[in-house]
Amino acid sequence: MGTTVAARQVFRWTVRASSSSLLSPPLTSRCLLQPRPGLFCSTSSRSPMQSSQHNHPVSPVSETPVTELSPQSLADMGFTGTQAEQMLETASKARGGRAARHALSTLTALLALGLNPSSVLKLLQKCPEVCSVKESQLQQRVGNLRKLGLVEGSLQRVVAHYPQILTVPVKTVKHVVVLLREKCLFTAPQVTDILRESPAIVLGDLAQVEFLFQYVYFRMGVKQAEIIKSRLFRYSLDEVRCRHCFLERRGLYQTPDKKGQTIIINPKLDSILNVDQMTFLTAVAKASVEEYDVFQRLVAKEWLEEEKEQGSINVDATYSEEEEDEEEETGGRSGYIKTRKRTI
Amino acid sequence: MALLMDTRLLLRKVKDLRSLTPRRHRVKEKWATTRAKCPASSLALQYFDANYSAHLGELWPSVRVALLSERKYGALLNNFSHEDVLADLQARGCRDFINDTDTEAQPCSEEKSETCLEEESNNLPVKKPDIDDQLLSPLKLSPNIKCVVFPRGDLTRFKPARPDMERLLGYYLMDAASVLPCLALDVQEGHNVLDLCAAPGGKALTLLQTQAIRFLCVNDSTASRTTRLRKVLHSYLPKHFFTEKNLRITTFDGTKWGEIERNTFDRVLVDVPCTTDRHSLIEDDNNIFNKIRTGERRKLPQLQLELLLAGIQAACLGGEIMYSTCTLSPIQNLSVVEQAVHLARENHGISVEVVDLRPLTHMFRKTFHFAPDLHLGEMVIPHLAANFGPIYMCKLRRLT
């Protein structure tokens, strides 16, 4: 699973890199993307950009159209001198041609959201791709987030902390929301909570998200309310699985039976995930660092071998092949199947 | 009347003939279409959780996670194979934990006592040499045994051994802790040694590596086990070993040895059948925690006691008996030894003393984890970084 996710991520990054490198200006030394012998490099629209970069921000550039990004226009919007400089730098890191054309409108839209200029700068530095988002698209996406419940205050916070959410098309967000509501049976407020606390979920692989939920719901017996409280989707499947398996094999965590009962009291998901490793080991697992270190390597090996055995496609089967448990695995699996039938 | 008796006997015999395989073998996991509702391995885990948490206390979670995780093997080097396997294995990062001079204290023989004390004082400058001397000098180990392991926390697996030019394998993969009872048995030159429950043959092979045994007798209760034992020995020992004078492989009931050969052997190894904790948690096939085998499992301590008593009787005066199991259960370990010592005195007039194995645990403390505070015998407990064991061992010396 891990390898296919990674492969997909790499594919996504290479696509982005290749498409953006075709348009990036080869001149700027600080440009992170490698220039390629560009067949599609449009140099014409970039000349004002270049001149505006090389000029001192104080002296105005002649013949700069109003729609172009320039120190003057930035100053108008409320950016200080240094901020404007940094802004132009960041804007050039994004896809050069498009950024120049509609960066200004994008910036205006961002400011209209209620973010102050320094936050907008930080946002763009975190995620220069936002510059390349068209203003209409931006409005659409922001509107969608509002509809999902991210109202004033939380919307700004989410955008400021995770600007990548604005680069994700509405459809993708919709898919994620559908998954959370229909397959994972979260309520609408809960979905809003998830988007607010773990916005990176929108860029995640849907199959992985679903698998993580299933693991936590059936294997760990944790229900939706606790999942929300523990901000599960901030963590990767491997982290959650590793900590859970460690506790389970130590006998400190039990999968609840069909009636939801366990012989011991399971530690809360919050206390397992939302703590750093040292606290986890001393307070919850009561083990030494050496043990956990060896365990992580051991269990990573086991999972790799399992994957090889079954093929990474069959998500349903893998978690039932895990090592010795006391729980009735057949019970857990049939429980999941029942849920599916209910929703369909 | 006589006729009825005969038919009854006859019927019993026919029944015996009919049941060609024991009941527990009739349903095989690999042929079943669905998984058992409560598999034997889960029953085993529940049993251990209930019993060992009281016995081991705080240590139980660590032991539990180690038992449920992949075990660590050691490679017992075959002295009869001519290939230089040791160098090859050491190149991969293993080390011979028995003869490693860097990290462990050496067994103190007369000549080496000087260097030994020096090493001790280098490692632990606070310790006084006198105590060391007292602690270490009584300990003597069986010679020539070499076993390599990967370092602590290293998860590399051994590759299977390949046959050399004489079709002998270079090393035998086994739990490194299983070597300890053989080391502690202290086989010396010209000894007659008995291994009462030898199959599958790892410990017997270890004993043979000492090349100090005059006559080795290996035994196991059933023919299938003895066949397996024979195969193992044939893969590792050259042909000239299999003479009447060197080696005897038998298939007798071990509990009867007191009647067969009394007061004969210098050293006796009694590696009794037990609940094999690690195996019971992983494998469902032939698992002794199967409901069908409950009776067999309940009778285990009794069987172990009888085997140990037979071993005590088979040992000669001054001979040493090593009792070992691969379980953590005190019912199968400490209780059995205590009862055996008691019964040997009561019923057979034999008095035995317990030999202190603390020098051994002290020597190998860096490779294995030993259970602390065991008032009788020593036990290797599994730990994730050193996933050997569980092995319980107790050494007895016959005084009368």
Side-chain angles (χ1 to χ4, degrees):
Chain A
M1 262 157 301
T3 46
T4 48
V5 169
R8 262 180 247 158
Q9 286 278 27
V10 168
F11 177 74
R12 233 179 260 140
W13 290 329
T14 46
V15 167
R16 250 189 233 160
S18 60
S19 54
S20 43
S21 66
L22 287 170
L23 304 166
S24 67
L27 296 168
T28 323
S29 56
R30 294 184 216 198
C31 180
L32 301 167
L33 306 160
Q34 289 304 314
R36 278 211 198 161
L39 302 166
F40 311 107
C41 245
S42 52
T43 48
S44 52
S45 58
R46 284 187 296 107
S47 38
M49 261 300 273
Q50 293 170 23
S51 51
S52 66
Q53 280 171 353
H54 291 303
N55 279 337
H56 197 268
V58 174
S59 56
V61 176
S62 55
E63 291 180 23
T64 331
V66 180
T67 52
E68 288 297 333
L69 208 60
S70 73
Q72 189 55 45
S73 50
L74 287 173
D76 285 338
M77 288 192 277
F79 289 94
T80 65
T82 35
Q83 284 181 335
E85 228 182 82
Q86 292 176 335
M87 182 66 71
L88 292 167
E89 242 181 73
T90 339
S92 67
K93 282 186 202 164
R95 309 172 198 204
R98 282 203 221 148
R101 258 179 276 125
H102 55 242
L104 204 65
S105 48
T106 315
L107 281 179
T108 328
L110 285 171
L111 288 165
L113 265 186
L115 295 164
N116 59 34
S118 49
S119 327
V120 174
L121 180 63
K122 272 192 222 141
L123 188 155
L124 286 173
Q125 281 176 329
K126 254 194 236 183
C127 178
E129 284 81 23
V130 175
C131 280
S132 57
V133 177
K134 282 196 279 214
E135 199 235 332
S136 55
Q137 275 179 338
L138 196 79
Q139 296 290 20
Q140 223 181 10
R141 291 168 189 179
V142 168
N144 186 36
L145 290 175
R146 279 219 175 89
K147 211 167 47 157
L148 289 169
L150 285 177
V151 289
E152 308 316 308
S154 34
L155 177 65
Q156 281 77 1
R157 240 182 292 132
V158 170
V159 170
H161 280 292
Y162 193 73
Q164 288 89 332
I165 203 171
L166 295 173
T167 61
V168 173
V170 172
K171 233 186 191 175
T172 316
V173 177
K174 213 171 247 182
H175 285 315
V176 174
V177 171
V178 161
L179 175 78
L180 290 174
R181 292 223 52 193
E182 296 189 9
K183 290 212 180 144
C184 306
L185 301 180
F186 284 108
T187 65
Q190 286 175 334
V191 173
T192 315
D193 273 332
I194 294 174
L195 286 174
R196 195 182 2 182
E197 300 295 332
S198 342
I201 199 176
V202 298
L203 278 177
D205 175 20
L206 285 185
Q208 283 275 291
V209 168
E210 190 176 0
F211 189 78
L212 177 58
F213 173 79
Q214 286 170 6
Y215 186 86
V216 169
Y217 191 82
F218 294 107
R219 183 74 188 275
M220 294 178 71
V222 178
K223 303 294 179 238
Q224 280 84 353
E226 217 184 306
I227 291 179
I228 299 295
K229 208 161 58 153
S230 64
R231 299 181 285 208
L232 168 72
F233 296 105
R234 281 190 185 184
Y235 304 99
S236 70
L237 175 70
D238 281 339
E239 276 175 323
V240 176
R241 237 193 325 191
C242 197
R243 288 195 180 187
H244 168 249
C245 280
F246 192 59
L247 288 177
E248 193 179 42
R249 289 195 198 181
R250 283 178 77 80
L252 300 171
Y253 201 99
Q254 270 182 3
T255 303
D257 62 6
K258 279 183 274 201
K259 293 186 188 162
Q261 296 164 334
T262 54
I263 301 173
I264 57 169
I265 300 175
N266 286 341
K268 294 283 170 210
L269 189 60
D270 195 24
S271 60
I272 300 174
L273 293 179
N274 284 328
V275 292
D276 65 321
Q277 193 168 301
M278 268 324 289
T279 322
F280 169 70
L281 289 176
T282 43
V284 188
K286 302 200 181 66
S288 66
V289 182
E290 184 192 24
E291 272 185 88
Y292 190 61
D293 175 57
V294 176
F295 182 76
Q296 276 178 310
R297 284 184 283 131
L298 196 69
V299 93
K301 244 186 174 183
E302 271 179 37
W303 291 335
L304 213 65
E305 276 166 20
E306 257 177 39
E307 260 179 62
K308 274 191 210 157
E309 248 180 89
Q310 298 179 25
S312 45
I313 315 155
N314 203 344
V315 162
D316 283 322
T318 38
Y319 76 87
S320 67
E321 293 285 313
E322 295 279 8
E323 278 288 335
E324 312 311 307
D325 319 313
E326 291 149 338
E327 113 276 17
E328 280 181 30
E329 297 181 323
T330 46
R333 255 222 309 265
S334 60
Y336 163 64
I337 293 167
K338 278 187 205 141
T339 315
R340 271 201 99 110
K341 286 195 181 136
R342 247 185 269 141
T343 54
I344 296 168
Chain B
M1 192 73 155
L3 275 168
L4 279 166
M5 280 290 285
D6 282 332
T7 43
R8 246 181 271 157
L9 282 169
L10 206 67
L11 277 169
R12 209 177 295 148
K13 276 194 185 150
V14 170
K15 271 191 199 142
D16 283 340
L17 283 170
R18 237 182 274 162
S19 56
L20 294 167
T21 51
R23 269 183 79 191
R24 69 180 185 270
H25 289 148
R26 285 197 204 141
V27 177
K28 277 290 189 188
E29 168 76 38
K30 57 194 182 225
W31 297 328
T33 49
T34 54
R35 232 186 140 195
K37 205 160 182 237
C38 206
S41 47
S42 309
L43 291 171
L45 190 56
Q46 281 170 26
Y47 178 85
F48 296 153
D49 273 333
N51 293 310
Y52 296 164
S53 43
H55 175 50
L56 292 171
E58 298 265 310
L59 290 172
W60 171 234
S62 298
V63 174
R64 191 186 196 272
V65 63
L67 281 174
L68 292 171
S69 309
E70 189 185 327
R71 70 189 305 173
K72 201 165 171 184
Y73 283 97
L76 172 76
L77 295 174
N78 188 9
N79 292 334
F80 304 107
S81 159
H82 294 297
E83 254 180 76
D84 189 14
V85 230
L86 180 58
D88 183 42
L89 287 170
Q90 277 176 335
R92 289 172 207 260
C94 311
R95 59 177 189 89
D96 179 2
F97 70 89
I98 305 172
N99 302 310
D100 206 329
T101 45
D102 293 339
T103 51
E104 318 278 4
Q106 284 290 296
C108 277
S109 55
E110 275 71 66
E111 313 102 304
K112 286 190 198 162
S113 55
E114 304 275 351
T115 47
C116 178
L117 289 172
E118 264 176 36
E119 269 172 15
E120 270 296 291
S121 52
N122 281 339
N123 292 335
L124 306 147
V126 187
K127 250 192 172 180
K128 290 187 197 145
D130 299 329
I131 302 173
D132 278 350
D133 219 342
Q134 281 170 15
L135 207 59
L136 292 167
S137 48
L139 174 71
K140 280 179 286 178
L141 301 178
S142 308
N144 296 330
I145 299 176
K146 298 196 263 300
C147 183
V148 291
V149 287
F150 281 99
R152 198 184 158 85
D154 190 322
L155 300 173
T156 328
R157 290 191 189 138
F158 280 104
K159 297 210 171 67
R162 321 207 84 189
D164 67 358
M165 278 165 315
E166 280 139 45
R167 304 285 200 86
L168 298 178
L169 295 171
Y171 50 85
Y172 182 77
L173 292 179
M174 61 194 285
D175 185 345
S178 298
V179 169
L180 293 179
C182 303
L183 276 176
L185 193 57
D186 179 32
V187 174
Q188 288 164 28
E189 194 61 50
H191 271 171
N192 293 324
V193 183
L194 167 67
D195 190 348
L196 265 180
C197 315
K203 294 195 176 73
L205 198 60
T206 316
L207 289 172
L208 285 165
Q209 297 302 323
T210 60
Q211 297 166 302
I213 300 177
R214 188 194 304 165
F215 180 67
L216 176 67
C217 179
V218 289
N219 177 67
D220 211 290
S221 53
T222 62
S224 63
R225 293 176 75 90
T226 324
T227 323
R228 193 159 160 217
L229 173 63
R230 222 182 273 270
K231 273 197 198 138
V232 167
L233 292 176
H234 274 285
S235 312
Y236 286 88
L237 303 175
K239 299 252 188 326
H240 68 79
F241 242 91
F242 294 89
T243 60
E244 284 288 310
K245 281 205 299 184
N246 290 344
L247 188 64
R248 188 177 79 192
I249 306 174
T250 53
T251 316
F252 297 140
D253 178 3
T255 57
K256 307 274 190 290
W257 223 272
E259 294 149 33
I260 304 175
E261 265 175 325
R262 220 178 274 217
N263 309 330
T264 327
F265 294 96
D266 301 293
R267 297 286 187 264
V268 181
L269 177 62
V270 188
D271 183 23
V272 293
C274 57
T275 49
T276 55
D277 291 357
R278 205 185 268 275
H279 181 265
S280 299
L281 286 177
I282 312 283
E283 285 293 325
D284 280 321
D285 260 359
N286 276 343
N287 193 322
I288 201 167
F289 283 90
N290 230 327
K291 290 195 175 134
I292 272 177
R293 289 178 82 181
T294 308
E296 191 185 334
R297 182 164 50 83
R298 304 249 297 269
K299 289 188 213 143
L300 265 182
Q302 180 63 26
L303 173 65
Q304 293 164 340
L305 176 62
E306 285 172 20
L307 283 167
L308 182 52
L309 274 173
I312 292 174
Q313 290 176 311
C316 64
L317 200 62
E320 291 173 358
I321 305 109
M322 175 62 82
Y323 176 77
S324 88
T325 68
C326 43
T327 173
L328 296 162
S329 163
I331 309 168
Q332 295 171 52
N333 296 339
L334 302 154
S335 310
V336 170
V337 178
E338 282 169 349
Q339 276 189 308
V341 171
H342 176 74
L343 283 178
R345 185 172 299 121
E346 291 280 310
N347 295 353
H348 307 281
I350 302 174
S351 81
V352 288
E353 68 163 1
V354 176
V355 177
D356 188 13
L357 287 174
R358 265 177 298 169
L360 184 84
T361 57
H362 178 79
M363 188 157 125
F364 294 117
R365 66 195 183 286
K366 296 229 177 86
T367 316
F368 302 103
H369 281 250
F370 290 96
D373 315 322
L374 224 59
H375 71 263
L376 187 60
E378 297 295 337
M379 189 157 75
V380 174
I381 55 176
H383 184 268
L384 274 176
N387 212 353
F388 305 113
I391 294 277
Y392 171 83
M393 47 191 172
C394 185
K395 188 165 171 184
L396 304 171
R397 186 180 292 127
R398 189 162 157 176
L399 296 175
T400 56

